[in-house]
């Protein structure tokens, strides 16, 4: 009996020690994902943070999320902090710079909604905008965009006139009629409009019109942090497989409103996104909302060569001679168009 039990007891003890070692190891491996973010903006981006939490919850790892708020942070500063290892990740629209210098998780976190653009305008512009029937008609209006938004590059290379300005000045510039249109992703518009309508009730969403291209928000980590990249990728894949990703996506209030609103956008103009790399351009279709992509076009601009902004007369072009018309209310659209010509913004 003595010889029978001795190896059994030893085996049990060895197994117990291995189990305890695993538990201790798991405890030691518990980590905190640190995301530095501008003070007061985390609530506004609650959907994006919910996706990060979803990825962590489905990753099979014991990782919690900690948001560290800091005053005065810019997108450029956040980018540098991830490169320096001072923040574990950022999320943002695809850009060649981020793609080259950081490691991108190749699953779009809002299913391409960032590339489904709608427009905000001053109420006085609505009559002229009713005449937009084609993408060429839309190009008659200059579009306000932040200086560092990749959307500005996408639209310029598709022949649109783009007025670039610091992002914190865009809404006030629109309110002051410095340009006729401000571009926002459809879910961003529904998220932000209540706040800005309180500041200026004349700011309204343009009905029916949208501009669509393949584009979205992605998670980016430090180039050397392949372990975190794998964790987030696996977590998002599992969240999709379980159905939890789509449940979270459809239940978000701004996404739900955006999906409903898309049914009423009868003037949807699709353009090609020339800034995407091949990997992003060919991400599995199940991660995107249904859309048709146009064939690639040669980069071009509606602005004179060497200028990123159009001169005043191209901010909102007058119709060709002889094409002045009046709408059904008898409003002279040629006069309205002249009033919408944007002023060149001061240098920033």
């Amino acid at each position: 009996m003595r010889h029978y039990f001795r190896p059994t007891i030893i085996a049990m003890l060895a197994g117990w020690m291995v189990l305890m070692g695993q538990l201790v190891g798991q405890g030691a491996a518990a980590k905190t994902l640190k995301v530095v973010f501008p003070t007061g903006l985390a609530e506004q981006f609650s959907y994006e943070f919910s996706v990060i939490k979803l990825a962590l919850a489905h990753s099979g790892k014991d990782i919690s999320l900690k948001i560290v708020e800091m005053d005065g942070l810019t997108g450029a500063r956040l980018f540098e902090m991830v490169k320096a290892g001072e923040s574990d990740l950022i999320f943002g629209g695809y850009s060649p710079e981020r793609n080259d210098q950081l490691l991108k998780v190749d699953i779009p976190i809002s299913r391409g909604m960032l590339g489904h653009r709608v427009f905000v305008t001053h109420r006085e512009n609505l009559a002229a905008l009713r005449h937009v029937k084609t993408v060429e008609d839309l190009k008659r209006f200059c579009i306000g965009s932040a200086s560092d938004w990749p959307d500005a590059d996408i639209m310029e290379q598709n022949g649109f006139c783009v007025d670039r300005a610091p992002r914190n000045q865009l809404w006030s510039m629109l309110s002051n009629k410095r340009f006729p249109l401000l571009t926002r992703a459809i879910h961003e518009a529904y998220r932000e409009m209540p706040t800005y309508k309180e500041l200026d009730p004349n700011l309204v969403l343009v009905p029916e019109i949208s501009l669509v291209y393949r584009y979205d928000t992605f998670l980016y980590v430090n180039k050397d942090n392949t372990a975190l990249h794998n964790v987030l990728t696996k977590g998002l894949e599992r969240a999709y497989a379980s159905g939890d990703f789509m449940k979270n996506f459809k239940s978000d209030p701004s996404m739900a409103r955006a999906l409903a609103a898309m049914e009423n956008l009868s003037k949807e103009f699709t353009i090609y996104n020339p800034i995407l790399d091949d990997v992003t351009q060919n991400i599995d279709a199940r991660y995107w909302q249904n859309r048709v992509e146009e064939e690639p076009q040669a980069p071009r601009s509606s602005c004179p060569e060497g200028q990123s902004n159009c001169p005043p007369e191209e901010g909102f072009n007058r119709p060709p001679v002889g094409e002045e018309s009046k709408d059904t209310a008898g409003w002279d659209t040629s006069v309205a168009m002249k009033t919408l010509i944007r002023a060149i913004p001061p240098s920033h």
Side-chain angles (χ1 to χ4, degrees), residues 96-151:
E97 182 182 19
R98 293 190 191 110
N99 204 53
D100 289 341
Q101 299 185 41
L102 298 175
L103 201 55
K104 175 168 61 57
V105 177
D106 289 316
I107 297 176
I109 68 174
S110 62
R111 295 185 55 77
M113 297 294 278
L114 196 65
H116 203 122
R117 312 299 292 190
V118 292
F119 300 97
V120 186
T121 192
H122 192 282
R123 190 181 302 276
E124 293 179 2
N125 301 337
L126 289 175
L129 285 161
R130 286 204 298 270
H131 295 278
V132 172
K133 306 296 183 185
T134 68
V135 70
E136 295 303 320
D137 292 337
L138 185 59
K139 290 177 183 179
R140 299 165 74 93
F141 296 83
C142 199
I143 300 171
S145 181
S147 305
D148 59 346
W149 285 351
D151 302 274

Side-chain angles (χ1 to χ4, degrees), residues 209-274:
I209 297 174
S210 64
L211 186 66
V212 181
Y213 42 87
R214 184 176 287 273
Y215 189 61
D216 206 39
T217 300
F218 291 89
L219 303 179
Y220 292 88
V221 303
N222 184 283
K223 199 81 168 178
D224 297 324
N225 200 345
T226 54
L228 178 57
H229 178 270
N230 292 338
V231 164
L232 294 169
T233 300
K234 189 172 293 184
L236 289 178
E237 289 173 345
R238 289 174 174 173
Y240 259 103
S242 69
D244 287 345
F245 187 99
M246 290 305 299
K247 185 184 300 183
N248 182 65
F249 175 73
K250 292 181 178 179
S251 64
D252 178 79
S254 60
M255 292 297 180
R257 287 194 297 270
L259 290 169
M262 286 168 63
E263 301 299 321
N264 298 316
L265 295 172
S266 57
K267 300 174 183 177
E268 181 180 285
F269 306 119
T270 303
I271 60 175
Y272 180 73
N273 183 349

Side-chain angles (χ1 to χ4, degrees), residues 320-337:
V321 176
E323 292 188 11
E324 289 85 358
S325 61
K326 294 184 179 182
D327 63 17
T328 53
W331 190 62
D332 188 343
T333 57
S334 65
V335 174
M337 289 178 183

Side-chain angles (χ1 to χ4, degrees), residues 117-121 125 138 141-149 151-153 155-156 160-167 169-171 173-175 177-185 188 211 213 309-310 315 342-343 345:
R117 312 299 292 190
V118 292
F119 300 97
V120 186
T121 192
N125 301 337
L138 185 59
F141 296 83
C142 199
I143 300 171
S145 181
S147 305
D148 59 346
W149 285 351
D151 302 274
D153 298 325
M155 289 185 292
E156 280 183 348
F160 288 86
C161 180
V162 178
D163 195 340
R164 296 175 183 254
R167 65 182 64 199
Q169 296 182 20
L170 289 171
W171 287 90
M173 291 176 71
L174 178 67
S175 179
K177 306 177 188 178
R178 303 296 294 274
F179 42 72
L181 294 177
L182 173 62
T183 176
R184 302 302 294 136
E188 294 174 330
L211 186 66
Y213 42 87
N309 289 327
C310 305
R342 69 165 177 83

